[in-house]
Structure formats: C-alpha cells, structure tokens
C-alpha cells in the first residue's frame, strides 16, 4: 500500500507520540492494566517505538512492535538502543499479521486503523489475541457536522480510508466480536493537554546538537494538515477503546 504524503512527512519528522492524546494519554491508558513480565504485547503501527520501549522498560514484557515502514522501524531500533531496552521489531502489515493465532495478551493500536480497511484489521487483531486478551485503540473521529468538502480534503491529504464517527467506531469493534471494557471520547488536545505533554518530553527526539531536516514538500503537507485540523477542530475528536476477546 503506497504511503500518503502525510505519512511520509511524519516519518521524516520522527516524533514519538503523534497520535491524539500523545504519550500522556498512553500513560493514562496503561494505568488500567496490570502487566506481568511474561506477557506478550503487540504494538501495531509502532512508529518510532516510544510506546513499545516504554512497555519493555517499565514492565519487562515481551514486546513485538510492527510497522510497515522501514524508515520508521530504523528510528524505532535506534530508540531501543538509546534506551537500552529489548524490543522485537517486525516489518509487516496489520492486514496480514506475521503472528500465530491466540498469542498476544495485549494489542495496542494508536491512530492506525483510520488509515486502513477497519474490519479486516480488527479481525487480525482478534485472531492474534489470546482468549481474555485485551485490545487498546486510540483513533480520531468526526462528528456528523464535519462539512463534506472538508472531510474529503482531510482524507485526501492524509490518505485516510475513512473518518468514522464515534458510534461508527463502536460498531466496528462490536461487529468484529470484541466486548467493551471501557471507552471514552475527548475533544482534540487544547493548551492544557499540550502543556501536560511537555511534562513528558521524548528523550530521543530533538536531542541537543541534533537537527531534523524536513524537505519543502513535507513542510507544506504538515502546514496544510495543521490548517485543516485547526479549521475543523470543533468537528473532530478522538476515542479511546479498551476491549477484550472473550
């Protein structure tokens, strides 16, 4: 599947927690779990590996981090070396996971499903989870008030398959066979959330003396994305979904 110009731009940017809610949100989600060192965790669409490294470092679990971008995985492997943790990195596709059935205790997917055919991706998540295994997803949603032309601009720029409503996300999970444990929805991050994220700085991003070069095309895409998101912020939000395979 070809990478959209937006995904190419954020790959070049290399941030550790660009999903809605950021790393602060991830830490909040993980407080809902007691994770044992012998558990197997899959971080699907791992990006630069910040969540995966945190899981390995904090819980000592067996963490497998998958992404379909070699460039992202290169950054993720570099992060693991810098943080001194062991993460098993895998180049692969969420629609065809290279894992056996019923293997994972926890699957984490942060702002990835929105780029994919949702049901096939969720079916793969369901397949690899053990019975009583958990799925955590964080995904953007749009209200019905989002103007159709703005929806299409956002989809085209980011390469999105769809921008579901919150209820449509719930329907996707339910029809795939998952049982809801806890779900909630929030508005896109405002100044307070941005401040909270600053309190959890990424130690492997913009280190002293290091520069991140973004080509003019990537900068243009990111500026267009920011304008679109700011213009439509009142129509957008993100949902957090904690589910179980019973």
């Amino acid at each position: 599947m070809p990478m959209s110009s937006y995904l190419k731009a954020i790959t070049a940017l290399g941030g550790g927690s660009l999903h809605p809610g950021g790393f602060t949100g991830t830490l909040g989600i993980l407080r809902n779990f007691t994770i044992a060192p012998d558990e197997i965790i899959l971080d699907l669409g791992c990006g630069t590996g910040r969540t995966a490294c945190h899981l390995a470092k904090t819980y000592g679990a067996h963490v497998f981090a998958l992404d379909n971008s070699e460039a992202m995985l290169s950054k993720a492997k570099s992060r693991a070396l810098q943080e001194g943790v062991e993460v098993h990195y895998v180049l692969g596709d969420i629609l065809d996971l290279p894992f056996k059935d019923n293997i994972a205790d926890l699957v984490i997917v942060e702002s990835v499903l929105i780029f994919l055919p949702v049901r096939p991706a969720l079916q793969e998540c369901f397949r690899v989870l053990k019975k009583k295994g958990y799925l955590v997803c964080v995904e953007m949603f749009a209200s019905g008030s989002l103007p159709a032309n703005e929806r299409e601009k956002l989809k085209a720029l980011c390469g999105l398959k769809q921008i579901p409503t919150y209820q449509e996300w719930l329907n996707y999970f339910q029809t795939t066979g998952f049982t809801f444990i806890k779900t909630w929805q929030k508005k896109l991050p405002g100044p307070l959330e941005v401040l909270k994220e600053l309190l959890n700085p990424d130690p492997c991003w913009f280190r002293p003396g290091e520069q991140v070069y973004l080509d003019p095309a990537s900068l243009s895409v990111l500026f267009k994305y920011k304008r679109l998101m700011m213009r439509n912020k009142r129509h957008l939000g993100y949902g957090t979904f904690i589910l179980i395979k019973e």
Side-chain angles (χ1 to χ4, degrees):
M1 184 184 299
M3 185 182 287
S4 70
S5 56
Y6 169 74
L7 289 177
K8 289 178 182 177
I10 64 170
T11 298
L13 186 62
S17 302
L18 298 178
H19 56 278
F23 190 63
T24 304
T26 299
L27 294 177
I29 293 168
L30 293 175
R31 293 190 191 104
N32 290 275
F33 297 93
T34 300
I35 299 173
D38 61 343
E39 291 188 350
I40 294 175
I41 303 175
L42 307 184
D43 180 7
L44 305 181
C46 67
T48 64
R50 189 176 185 189
T51 296
C53 285
H54 173 77
L55 289 164
K57 181 189 297 183
T58 305
Y59 304 103
H62 304 290
V63 181
F64 292 81
L66 175 141
D67 207 282
N68 67 352
S69 165
E70 291 186 12
M72 280 294 200
L73 286 178
S74 176
K75 294 174 186 287
K77 291 174 182 178
S78 176
R79 175 190 293 276
L81 284 173
Q82 292 169 41
E83 296 197 22
V85 296
E86 182 179 8
V87 175
H88 309 284
Y89 288 105
V90 181
L91 180 66
D93 187 345
I94 295 182
L95 298 177
D96 185 20
L97 291 172
F99 304 112
K100 295 180 180 179
D101 296 355
N102 311 308
I103 195 172
D105 297 283
L106 173 64
V107 171
I108 296 178
V109 187
E110 295 176 305
S111 193
V112 178
L113 296 178
I114 198 167
F115 294 94
L116 301 170
V118 178
R119 282 195 177 88
L122 284 176
Q123 286 166 357
E124 277 292 89
C125 293
F126 192 90
R127 177 183 67 78
V128 299
L129 273 169
K130 296 176 182 176
K131 189 174 182 181
K132 302 300 181 182
Y134 292 96
L135 171 67
V136 169
C137 292
V138 179
E139 295 291 344
M140 187 175 74
F141 66 81
S143 68
S145 62
L146 178 64
N149 64 320
E150 294 292 277
R151 181 187 297 269
E152 292 308 311
K153 287 177 184 177
L154 194 54
K155 285 170 62 179
L157 181 67
C158 297
L160 302 178
K161 292 293 182 182
Q162 63 280 303
I163 312 178
T165 64
Y166 181 73
Q167 184 58 54
E168 286 171 338
W169 279 117
L170 295 178
N171 293 343
Y172 279 130
F173 294 118
Q174 191 167 36
T175 56
T176 309
F178 286 101
T179 299
F180 298 111
I181 296 296
K182 193 174 184 181
T183 70
W184 62 93
Q185 55 184 310
K186 289 187 177 182
K187 295 179 180 178
L188 290 180
L192 179 59
E193 287 74 17
V194 172
L195 179 60
K196 288 180 180 178
E197 193 70 358
L198 291 175
L199 297 176
N200 288 299
D202 185 349
C204 297
W205 195 29
F206 294 129
R207 296 187 303 280
E210 185 177 74
Q211 292 183 335
V212 174
Y213 172 75
L214 290 179
D215 61 275
S218 294
L219 283 172
S220 175
V221 168
L222 292 173
F223 282 133
K224 286 179 183 177
Y225 172 77
K226 185 174 182 179
R227 287 197 299 269
L228 264 175
M229 295 297 287
M230 292 301 296
R231 192 163 69 225
N232 295 290
K233 189 174 181 179
R234 67 186 183 278
H235 306 295
L236 301 168
Y238 69 98
T240 302
F241 310 91
I242 300 178
L243 309 115
I244 190 170
K245 174 182 176 178
E246 290 192 318

